[in-house]
Amino acid sequence: MNHFLCCPRCNSTKISTRDYARKAGSVVGTAAGAAGSAAAALGGAEAGAALGIVAGPIGSIFGGLAGALMGALFGGAAGCAAGAAVGEVIDTTVLENYECQDCGHAFSKPPSQS
């Protein structure tokens, strides 16, 4: 809830944000980051397998799996953060991101209230 904004229709201060673009950007960014880190995941699998060979064949397998998983997780997290940042800019500048909880009116924040 943001008490600094007032609804232009009913002057209520019960305002929430919709954040549609931020949410969508997070999902798309996570998918793109995880997919884009496939090469890094393969490199991580190779490194993990090489380090795991000290523990024998089982160590090599688990080391490779752990390396691949870590590469995909880090790529997904980075993509999520980037997607959320882009989505937040879109929410703030393009979409009617604010919604009055009293009357349901959706509106953009006026430039003077940045």
Side-chain angles (χ1 to χ4, degrees):
M1 190 181 304
N2 191 337
H3 292 289
F4 299 110
L5 293 175
C6 292
C7 174
R9 181 182 288 167
C10 72
N11 290 323
S12 171
T13 57
K14 295 179 183 175
I15 307 298
S16 65
T17 56
R18 296 164 139 189
D19 298 327
Y20 292 144
R22 184 180 58 81
K23 292 172 189 172
S26 295
V27 171
V28 171
T30 298
S37 68
L42 290 176
E46 291 174 5
L51 291 174
I53 199 73
V54 174
I58 300 295
S60 178
I61 291 169
F62 284 121
L65 290 174
L69 181 62
M70 292 303 291
L73 288 175
F74 286 135
C80 179
V86 170
E88 186 173 352
V89 170
I90 293 170
D91 278 333
T92 304
T93 58
V94 178
L95 301 178
E96 293 180 336
N97 193 43
Y98 298 94
E99 183 175 22
C100 177
Q101 296 301 298
D102 285 339
C103 72
H105 179 65
F107 59 97
S108 297
K109 181 169 33 172
S112 62
Q113 293 184 355
S114 297

